[in-house]
Amino acid sequence: MTMRDYSLTGASSRLAQEQGLASATWYQTDIPRKTMKALMKRSDGPAIRDTAIWLLCLVSFAAALYLTWGTFWAVPVFLCYALLYGTASDSRWHECSHGTAFKTPWMNNSVYYLASFMVIREPKVWKWSHARHHTDTIIVGRDYEIMGHRPTRVLRHILAMVGLPQTWGTLKSLVRHASGRLSPDEQSFIPEMEHNSVFRTARIMLALYGLSIGLAVGFQSWYLALIIGPLPAMAGVWLAYVFGLTQHAGLAENVLDHRQNCRTIYMNPVFRFLYWNMNYHIEHHMFPMVPYHQLPALHQLMKEDCPPVYHSTWSAFKEVVAAMWQQRKDPEHYVRRELPQTPTADTETTTMAAQTA
Amino acid sequence: MSNWIEVCALDEIDEEDVVPFDHAGHTYAIYRCPEGNVFATSGLCTHERIHLADGLVMDDIIECPKHNGRFNYKNGQAQGAPVCEHLKTFATKVENDTIYIEVAP
Ligand code: FES
């Protein structure tokens, strides 16, 4: 069975443009401007608190790993550390790429670059690819961040749980960019005036990864190798990958309504902390200016205008796996989300909920 | 020759907010900064032509609602990816609590 053409320069891309799916107008729940302003309002407090807790947890688990080194306890301690490193950095990277986590730009940028290094993602390239993901969400031939390619390549997804294809892919692109080249896909979404900055950043990142590996080798220290660099990122990426699959995989392609190609899921507080509330994914895509800490309030305002919420990560993931399994043989299959009859949320309720948020 | 166009009453724009204004086939964004002064720029983001009036005003900055690109609305300067091209700015004046912008004749 042949793969669909997910490249950004091939037949699917041309078709998407011909069909008016590129840079199109998307459905939005009607929310009054005053309410949206209250929701979009920025503050540093929540993200400073959450970042401090995150960094403190990382340092604590790193210390615990040092203390338990050589014992059985080092294994669970490392797995927790890796989750904080490989999964929590993914959501920090994401939210700071939107610039909404903190009110103060330098705070956003600092956490963005730190998290990009941890999650092994090129900050400049992903800034542009993520902008495209928001313009053309799950439009084949336009969106560079589609995870659920059809037909499903099962082995690739299994390997991705330990970060192998992602790390290999980034290594190749770092070398390509460090040598001053971009792929045709990348050229389609990164403007020319940004190319030099992509190349410069790639060289810095290669040097930093080289340094982290060099230190571990130089000191002949497995501890250092497990604390910083590709290994903790790969060991801890599995939950970010599960979260990532639940965002869009198995849902419709080529629709102009985020309610049909995103999932909103109720998650437990630990997952929500690790994921920075991106479980409210319909809300995030429809209104990307709303900071992560306001997404639960936004959800209250628009849930009547959305398909039913998934009540656990497991219920969403089960649906993803079943759909992707079927898409191995039947790439046309997808999960159809029923839209509610009431087209818009009750504006009076929405204003009240935002003001009390 | 100057060409001053009436936009709206001053109190129709909250402080630290923005409204859209359409005139002669062009769309503009009209801002009131936190101190209450009025500014005007072209109304569409230079990245993907999204209406900036749906965005968020923070101090001197307008943030685009689509990809959070930021501009200084007082001088039109793009603040970095994903916006690279500056916004056009227009002179404004307030007379008798009414806002005017100066557009090309
Ligand atoms: S459309 Fe304004 S930042 Fe992309």
Side-chain angles (χ1 to χ4, degrees):
Chain A
M1 200 177 308
T2 50
M3 281 303 291
R4 285 190 177 186
D5 176 15
Y6 287 91
S7 77
L8 306 192
T9 51
S12 302
S13 178
R14 282 191 295 279
L15 194 64
Q17 297 188 50
E18 279 163 25
Q19 293 177 336
L21 293 168
S23 303
T25 304
W26 287 66
Y27 176 83
Q28 267 197 336
T29 299
D30 189 16
I31 295 185
R33 168 88 184 151
K34 265 201 178 350
T35 311
M36 272 318 291
K37 267 177 64 184
L39 287 168
M40 293 189 296
K41 205 167 167 50
R42 302 296 151 74
S43 62
D44 287 329
I48 288 178
R49 178 199 64 210
D50 290 343
T51 305
I53 295 172
W54 174 48
L55 295 178
L56 198 69
C57 288
L58 273 167
V59 171
S60 305
F61 276 100
L65 183 62
Y66 188 79
L67 294 173
T68 56
W69 194 254
T71 72
F72 161 79
W73 290 107
V75 177
V77 167
F78 173 67
L79 293 179
C80 291
Y81 177 81
L83 264 191
L84 290 162
Y85 193 104
T87 281
S89 61
D90 181 80
S91 55
R92 274 66 186 165
W93 161 83
H94 172 265
E95 192 64 6
C96 292
S97 89
H98 282 279
T100 48
F102 298 86
K103 181 174 185 195
T104 309
W106 71 260
M107 294 187 191
N108 262 309
N109 290 337
S110 307
V111 175
Y112 181 59
Y113 282 100
L114 172 69
S116 296
F117 173 81
M118 292 167 77
V119 78
I120 318 182
R121 212 164 272 167
E122 290 179 86
K124 298 285 179 186
V125 176
W126 281 81
K127 184 104 189 166
W128 288 101
S129 82
H130 200 64
R132 175 65 74 81
H133 172 62
H134 273 267
T135 302
D136 297 323
T137 310
I138 318 298
I139 303 294
V140 179
R142 294 288 300 172
D143 184 352
Y144 200 50
E145 298 183 5
I146 300 178
M147 289 171 79
H149 286 193
R150 308 184 201 168
T152 306
R153 296 169 295 177
V154 176
L155 181 63
R156 193 187 188 283
H157 287 292
I158 293 170
L159 294 176
M161 291 283 181
V162 288
L164 280 171
Q166 303 93 307
T167 308
W168 176 239
T170 306
L171 183 64
K172 280 194 302 187
S173 69
L174 277 173
V175 170
R176 181 169 63 243
H177 299 152
S179 59
R181 288 174 298 122
L182 289 167
S183 72
D185 276 357
E186 289 162 346
Q187 284 176 32
S188 77
F189 62 82
I190 305 174
E192 206 171 330
M193 65 194 297
E194 288 282 291
H195 290 183
N196 280 335
S197 146
V198 168
F199 303 151
R200 221 176 15 252
T201 310
R203 288 170 197 139
I204 295 170
M205 284 190 88
L206 270 182
L208 289 175
Y209 289 124
L211 184 69
S212 75
I213 294 168
L215 280 175
V217 172
F219 285 101
Q220 299 196 332
S221 166
W222 272 107
Y223 176 77
L224 274 182
L226 292 180
I227 284 297
I228 188 165
L231 289 184
M234 292 165 79
V237 76
W238 65 271
L239 189 55
Y241 199 75
V242 168
F243 290 158
L245 283 175
T246 63
Q247 292 174 354
H248 311 283
L251 298 179
E253 292 176 336
N254 299 340
V255 290
L256 299 178
D257 188 336
H258 293 114
R259 300 173 303 168
Q260 292 176 309
N261 66 11
C262 303
R263 287 184 186 83
T264 282
I265 306 163
Y266 290 144
M267 287 188 177
N268 66 56
V270 175
F271 280 10
R272 279 178 50 199
F273 172 76
L274 290 173
Y275 196 22
W276 260 11
N277 281 344
M278 278 306 122
N279 49 307
Y280 297 104
H281 217 64
I282 299 177
E283 291 80 355
H284 167 65
H285 265 274
M286 212 183 272
F287 298 105
M289 302 213 23
V290 174
Y292 75 97
H293 49 85
Q294 286 286 31
L295 288 177
L298 176 59
H299 168 68
Q300 291 305 323
L301 305 179
M302 51 184 276
K303 65 182 180 191
E304 304 304 333
D305 195 30
C306 293
V309 181
Y310 296 81
H311 278 269
S312 66
T313 313
W314 176 241
S315 65
F317 190 61
K318 236 174 21 189
E319 177 183 277
V320 171
V321 172
M324 290 175 72
W325 188 252
Q326 198 162 334
Q327 285 170 348
R328 280 176 315 135
K329 298 268 167 62
D330 176 10
E332 298 305 319
H333 170 78
Y334 66 92
V335 177
R336 220 173 286 267
R337 300 290 279 146
E338 288 305 327
L339 298 177
Q341 292 305 308
T342 48
T344 51
D346 175 339
T347 49
E348 212 169 290
T349 325
T350 55
T351 312
M352 277 166 47
Q355 280 165 354
T356 53
Chain B
M1 201 180 79
S2 61
N3 189 21
W4 288 97
I5 306 293
E6 183 178 329
V7 176
C8 63
L10 184 62
D11 62 8
E12 284 178 45
I13 313 179
D14 290 341
E15 281 178 11
E16 208 169 25
D17 203 4
V18 54
V19 297
F21 174 63
D22 292 326
H23 173 73
H26 294 283
T27 181
Y28 304 88
I30 316 294
Y31 310 82
R32 272 185 84 184
C33 72
E35 296 76 36
N37 299 330
V38 177
F39 297 86
T41 69
S42 42
L44 300 177
C45 180
T46 56
H47 179 220
E48 287 186 2
R49 301 184 57 76
I50 294 292
H51 281 276
L52 289 170
D54 291 329
L56 179 67
V57 177
M58 292 173 285
D59 301 324
D60 296 353
I61 297 295
I62 171 71
E63 189 175 289
C64 171
K66 188 72 182 177
H67 309 111
N68 313 79
R70 291 176 176 198
F71 301 91
N72 181 323
Y73 59 81
K74 293 184 175 173
N75 56 22
Q77 294 272 335
Q79 305 290 298
V83 289
C84 305
E85 203 182 310
H86 303 322
L87 280 176
K88 228 170 146 187
T89 56
F90 300 89
T92 63
K93 66 179 181 185
V94 179
E95 279 176 6
N96 300 326
D97 285 338
T98 302
I99 297 171
Y100 297 84
I101 65 167
E102 187 183 30
V103 297

